[in-house]
Amino acid sequence: MTSVLAPPPQGSDLKPVPGVPGVPYIGSTLAVMRDPIGTARKRYAEYGPVAWGWLLGQRMVTVHGPEAAEVVLVNRDKAFANGPAWSYFIGPFFNRGIMLLDFEEHLHHRRIMQQAFTRPRLRSYMDAMAPGIVRGVESWEPGQGFKVYDHIKKLTLDLAVDVFMGIELDDAERARVNGAFIDAVRAGTAYVRFPVPGLRWHKGLQARKVLEEFFHRHLPAKREGDGSDLFSALCQAETDDGERFTDEDVVNHMIFALMAAHDTTTITLTTMAYYLAKYPEWQERLRERSLDLGAERPGFDDLDAFTGIDMVMKESMRMVTPVPALPRKVVKDTSILGFHVPAGTTVVVPMLSNHHMADWWTDPDEFDPGRFSPERREDKVHKYAWAPFGGGAHKCIGLHFAGMQVKTILHQMLLRYRWSVPARYEWPLDTTSLPSPKDGLPVRLDRLEQRT
């Protein structure tokens, strides 16, 4: 039975937000986790672009489509806060990361952090990554049942450790840090949101302690050194006014940055590998281009030549958006597309399902990288039609680093291997947290004969 979220102010022209709450606390949680795109389509068809329901223990308003996304993400009247919304999900595990700060404080931290993502810094990160990418990809063992997700996750974490931290770790320590990040991310969508030993929330809290101890232990050396890694960059970063990060700031931002850098990149590369296995004609097209470039280790200025990889990357991020939903907390009464949204409401921009709306995309469930070609550019129909990196003041600060890493790794994969899946294979995608294949994406991996 349809009900309204809250009556609009008397005398206003605003409409109440419609929806079906379902069972309090639970609501549509299970349906969204099982089938986020299908559930969003059903809600949009029934209630339009702005609707509410119970989700993960909260009364949430879901806004569908790029027009509503722009209102929330651009946030012109400062009615939507990032921190309180994300804190509900990941606050205890990624405390005071850049994404959990708002307004003036967020601007202050972002201004300092941007010093770590300048073009010269990006060049130095790429130079530092190159040997590790070649070494990591070259070490893969060809054969049947090669699990792409597992190998890419290990590679991206190794690169994050090398490039972001500049610290030598043995296998046991790498495994401990990797396990802590996995537990911290998965804790965000726990059903039981208090520390019961053995359950997700408790594991996430324990993981946070592991990560804090790890970064605090290495921080003094980074303060004293002059390294080119991100850890050093954050220790040294300074605005024109002489503002710098405290030790706590550095630790908080490193924990968040390392998670963001290797988790979302892993999802993007795994999705690309999946669709390139399903559509071998695209894999061959990209491989020919990589072979023709003749750059064993491409430089920063070579990245623009990877036009095909860029289209496949964008389409893969549309098909499986690494961060599938962007929540915001309403801090004062506001409106979205003429609907009254009261203070205290949680609003969600479902980027994954927005990227699959037939109103904005041709055959949205079809893998079609050509939609990002210069001739078509379907993403240009609206500024927020394609927005996997978010938008507004909180747009991902590391988006250029991410693109650089994805293109460089896939280039090395194309130069060395061909991979395939059985004709009828459809990957079982786990969407209970950040999307990932339940089976690790097993492929047949064959080493290529080197072109002479």
Side-chain angles (χ1 to χ4, degrees):
M1 185 175 184
T2 302
S3 64
V4 301
L5 176 68
Q10 281 192 332
S12 75
D13 294 328
L14 299 178
K15 297 170 287 187
V17 176
V20 173
V23 179
Y25 189 80
I26 297 174
S28 60
T29 299
L30 298 179
V32 168
M33 287 187 167
R34 279 197 301 264
D35 182 13
I37 296 170
T39 303
R41 283 175 173 163
K42 182 179 179 183
R43 179 173 293 187
Y44 180 65
E46 291 180 3
Y47 304 110
V50 183
W52 81 278
W54 282 96
L55 183 67
L56 286 169
Q58 296 189 84
R59 287 154 56 97
M60 289 195 189
V61 170
T62 304
V63 297
H64 304 277
E67 293 171 339
E70 182 175 18
V71 172
V72 175
L73 299 179
V74 174
N75 196 16
R76 289 186 176 89
D77 64 351
K78 293 184 167 53
F80 305 99
N82 234 39
W86 279 109
S87 291
Y88 178 80
F89 297 103
I90 63 172
F93 323 112
F94 296 99
N95 182 44
R96 294 187 62 75
I98 188 73
M99 195 169 71
L100 279 73
L101 304 177
D102 281 297
F103 308 124
E104 290 305 316
E105 184 180 36
H106 169 259
L107 218 57
H108 166 75
H109 280 250
R110 191 177 180 97
R111 194 177 296 120
I112 301 174
M113 186 174 270
Q114 279 174 335
Q115 306 309 308
F117 290 97
T118 60
R119 286 182 70 85
R121 283 283 185 185
L122 290 174
R123 286 179 182 276
S124 71
Y125 298 153
M126 186 160 176
D127 291 342
M129 274 195 303
I133 291 174
V134 171
R135 186 169 59 249
V137 174
E138 182 64 34
S139 71
W140 292 351
E141 293 288 339
Q144 190 71 41
F146 177 89
K147 293 196 173 182
V148 174
Y149 179 83
D150 300 352
H151 284 81
I152 288 181
K153 189 167 183 62
K154 181 182 184 304
L155 174 60
T156 56
L157 180 66
D158 287 349
L159 292 172
V161 168
D162 294 340
V163 178
F164 277 20
M165 301 195 306
I167 299 169
E168 291 290 332
L169 299 181
D170 59 31
D171 290 343
E173 184 79 337
R174 284 180 185 267
R176 194 169 74 97
V177 172
N178 195 9
F181 276 106
I182 292 170
D183 287 344
V185 171
R186 289 183 64 81
T189 52
Y191 293 115
V192 180
R193 306 182 76 78
F194 49 89
V196 177
L199 298 187
R200 279 191 184 187
W201 195 262
H202 181 263
K203 288 181 179 179
L205 294 174
Q206 296 301 113
R208 172 74 191 196
K209 291 178 182 178
V210 169
L211 297 172
E212 284 182 348
E213 183 278 329
F214 174 83
F215 284 109
H216 275 294
R217 174 158 38 97
H218 291 285
L219 195 144
K222 292 296 178 181
R223 286 285 195 202
E224 294 172 7
D226 59 353
S228 60
D229 53 273
L230 179 66
F231 200 175
S232 297
L234 292 181
C235 287
Q236 299 155 14
E238 187 174 320
T239 66
D240 293 338
D241 300 328
E243 295 171 327
R244 303 184 71 181
F245 284 139
T246 66
D247 286 359
E248 288 298 321
D249 290 335
V250 171
V251 170
N252 289 332
H253 289 316
M254 280 302 301
I255 290 174
F256 183 80
L258 196 58
M259 179 275 291
H262 92 277
D263 241 10
T264 54
T265 302
T266 297
I267 294 166
T268 299
L269 277 163
T270 304
T271 305
M272 293 171 76
Y274 170 66
Y275 284 109
L276 291 176
K278 294 275 289 181
Y279 296 85
E281 66 276 14
W282 270 99
Q283 186 181 152
E284 292 306 320
R285 175 175 167 177
L286 299 192
R287 179 173 294 107
E288 283 302 313
R289 179 60 174 154
S290 283
L291 289 168
D292 288 344
L293 286 172
E296 175 67 14
R297 294 188 185 180
F300 187 80
D301 295 325
D302 296 321
L303 294 177
D304 289 342
F306 293 129
T307 52
I309 292 179
D310 188 66
M311 288 192 296
V312 170
M313 178 180 73
K314 288 176 176 175
E315 176 68 342
S316 296
M317 295 180 81
R318 186 192 69 82
M319 294 290 286
V320 180
T321 309
V323 180
L326 303 174
R328 299 289 189 269
K329 180 68 77 172
V330 179
V331 294
K332 63 181 181 182
D333 287 3
T334 189
S335 64
I336 302 173
L337 303 185
F339 290 90
H340 169 63
V341 183
T345 305
T346 298
V347 173
V348 174
V349 182
M351 293 315 309
L352 173 62
S353 54
N354 277 4
H355 288 157
H356 285 258
M357 293 183 73
D359 290 4
W360 303 92
W361 300 94
T362 304
D363 298 324
D365 295 332
E366 296 298 315
F367 177 75
D368 180 10
R371 70 175 84 242
F372 291 95
S373 65
E375 303 80 33
R376 292 173 60 187
R377 291 308 301 265
E378 288 188 16
D379 56 311
K380 292 298 185 181
V381 68
H382 190 284
K383 185 178 180 181
Y384 283 86
W386 185 81
F389 295 104
H394 280 278
K395 190 169 185 177
C396 176
I397 198 170
L399 67 95
H400 296 298
F401 177 87
M404 176 178 77
Q405 189 177 44
V406 166
K407 291 175 184 179
T408 308
I409 291 174
L410 192 74
H411 173 67
Q412 295 298 336
M413 291 171 61
L414 292 164
L415 290 179
R416 286 167 174 74
Y417 306 104
R418 178 176 287 108
W419 60 95
S420 59
V421 292
R424 297 181 182 274
Y425 173 80
E426 298 288 337
W427 67 350
L429 198 63
D430 182 351
T431 53
T432 60
S433 182
L434 299 186
S436 61
K438 295 176 184 177
D439 60 359
L441 181 55
V443 302
R444 176 182 175 84
L445 188 74
D446 294 305
R447 191 178 293 276
L448 296 176
E449 293 184 10
Q450 294 303 304
R451 182 183 285 186
T452 55

